[in-house]
Structure formats: structure tokens, C-alpha cells
Amino acid sequence: MGLAVGSVCAILLVMVLLSAPCHGQDAYVSSRATYYGSPDCLGTPTGACGYREYGRIVNGGDVSGASRLFRDGTGCGACYQVRCKGAPCCSEEGVKVVVTDYGEGDKTDFILTTRAYAKLARPGAALQLFAYGVIDIEYKRIPCQYPGYNLFFKVHEYSRFPDYLAIVIIYQAGIYDIVALEVWQEDCKEWRPMRKASGAIWDMPNPPKGALRFRFQVIGSGGAKWVEPSNPVLPSEWKAGVAYDTTIQLTY
């Protein structure tokens, strides 16, 4: 099953979050954050994770670039609770964001969309917070959760059937890092590793023919494990720009 992945905004816009916390990192870490502007207050389709349009709209547009938390792309898709401190206009809860890009500021770990940055403020105080430009924050990692969504493998637009395959994994729930991705070579009866190309993109020249089975390795608080969907994820004639349902979801 596949599906294609493809205004002036108010500063204080109430959004329904796709990503909800449950249990995660206990202690908050001190850092700094800033924001970047865009015409619609969402993310950018040219983000370093390679998510394209997904990286703009996931989590209602509450997304962020990250510096050291980017971790050469391993941090792509991770969810964080971020709240500002030291300013009277700061809210107590802050905002939940998904990392979709890389970015560096003035000793910052997060560069938020304006939509997410505004939610760090108390109601009616967003303009005061924007005046700071860079603010002190504290953050902790939390599990992602995407109600109604399984894990999807999106065939990146750079892919060229049948000679070159690039994959981006989206709607990754839980609090795991994906550190390896392999595809089954039926004629050789072996798993072939895909290369971590850039950001969240995994690629392979000359992929196997036919419907493609995958497995991927994740690392979480319980250690490392391999996860394998029971059925092939990609059809024999996969298409660039299409996201395919794995029919599974990570848990936390």
C-alpha cells in the first residue's frame, strides 16, 4: 500500500500534535534556542534530514533544526520537550518538537520554527519572547507517538527505478535511534546493508529485483534489536516519492 508524500499564520496557533509524550529522559538539560522565519511559519522542505515536505508539516509544524543533537543524521525524527527559562514570558510546559533539520546558532541546540518558538511563551506573550532572539532553555528527549500511523518507508525523490534506491523512514514512534537498514537479496539468501547517505537517507545502488523485504536495527534504553516487517515493504515496481506502509510501528 502506498501514498504520495507531498497564508499568513497567527503567532499563537493552537495545533493538535501528532507527537505525544509518555515516558522518556527524566532530567532536563540546559541549553539555548533561537528560531528561523518562513512565510507560513512551518519548516523547510530542504532540511538536512531529507524529509522534504514531511519535515515541514509533521507534528503540526512544531519542528526544529538541531546542532549536536543532529548526530550526523541519527537524531533525525527524535522528539523533545523544550521549555524556556529565565524570562517572565516563558510558559511552564513549553513545546514538543521533532528534529527535521540541522542548524547552528549562538551556542544553541535548537533552531525552532516560529510556530514552535511562539509556544514557549505564555498566552499573549509571544511577541515579548521573539524580542529576545536567543533564549535559555531546558530540554529532554521524549518518545514520539503517531496515532493512526504505522511506520512508513518513503522512497526518496532522488531514487531511480530500478538502478538506485534511497529510503527515508518516517512516522517513527517511540524513543529509538535507527542505526542500520538492510534489504533481503533473495537469490543470494543474504541481507545486504544499505548505506547511511546523509541525514535520515539510506541508499543502495543496484537494489535487488522484485518486492523488497527490509530489516532495521534500533537502539533504545533496552539496548539494540533488529526489527523486521513480516511482509515485503516495497512492491517490485516501487516509485520515487511514494511512502509505503510497513504495517508495523515501534513501541516505547
Side-chain angles (χ1 to χ4, degrees):
M1 174 182 175
L3 76 123
V5 177
S7 86
V8 177
C9 72
I11 287 180
L12 291 176
L13 180 63
V14 178
M15 301 296 295
V16 176
L17 296 177
L18 284 173
S19 185
C22 193
H23 301 91
Q25 173 184 323
D26 292 330
Y28 279 90
V29 178
S30 295
S31 185
R32 282 153 61 86
T34 186
Y35 65 92
Y36 65 95
S38 65
D40 54 9
C41 303
L42 299 175
T44 170
T46 59
C49 288
Y51 289 138
R52 297 177 74 91
E53 185 65 16
Y54 170 87
R56 282 170 37 79
I57 63 175
V58 67
N59 196 38
D62 289 343
V63 299
S64 176
S67 53
R68 62 193 174 107
L69 298 174
F70 185 77
R71 293 180 290 130
D72 293 325
T74 302
C76 290
C79 295
Y80 292 89
Q81 181 81 27
V82 181
R83 60 192 189 192
C84 68
K85 59 181 183 178
C89 53
C90 291
S91 72
E92 293 185 4
E93 181 178 356
V95 65
K96 306 167 186 68
V97 297
V98 180
V99 172
T100 61
D101 199 358
Y102 176 83
E104 293 185 3
D106 181 11
K107 299 179 181 178
T108 61
D109 276 318
F110 295 92
I111 302 181
L112 306 172
T113 58
T114 51
R115 187 174 302 226
Y117 191 89
K119 293 181 181 178
L120 296 175
R122 292 185 289 102
L127 289 178
Q128 299 175 43
L129 195 65
F130 277 107
Y132 282 87
V134 179
I135 54 173
D136 292 327
I137 58 128
E138 55 186 12
Y139 70 87
K140 65 178 180 179
R141 187 168 179 183
I142 58 175
C144 301
Q145 187 176 6
Y146 298 100
Y149 286 84
N150 291 321
L151 194 72
F152 275 73
F153 280 13
K154 180 192 172 187
V155 178
H156 198 276
E157 286 80 357
Y158 294 158
S159 300
R160 300 183 304 276
F161 179 83
D163 301 317
Y164 173 73
L165 174 63
I167 294 290
V168 180
I169 300 174
I170 60 177
Y171 298 122
Q172 175 188 338
I175 194 166
Y176 300 100
D177 293 333
I178 295 178
V179 297
L181 179 62
E182 297 183 341
V183 60
W184 179 250
Q185 179 90 40
E186 179 62 30
D187 55 356
C188 299
K189 303 297 181 184
E190 66 179 10
W191 290 101
R192 289 178 55 191
M194 299 189 75
R195 179 181 71 110
K196 186 67 175 297
S198 64
I201 302 172
W202 301 83
D203 71 353
M204 169 183 285
N206 303 312
K209 308 300 181 185
L212 298 181
R213 290 173 50 201
F214 293 88
R215 69 175 183 177
F216 53 96
Q217 188 178 42
V218 298
I219 294 180
S221 59
K225 65 179 180 180
W226 285 94
V227 179
E228 181 184 346
S230 58
N231 297 312
V233 177
L234 268 59
S236 57
E237 296 187 5
W238 45 264
K239 299 182 184 300
V242 175
Y244 296 92
D245 192 344
T246 67
T247 72
I248 64 171
Q249 184 54 279
L250 299 175
T251 58
Y252 46 85

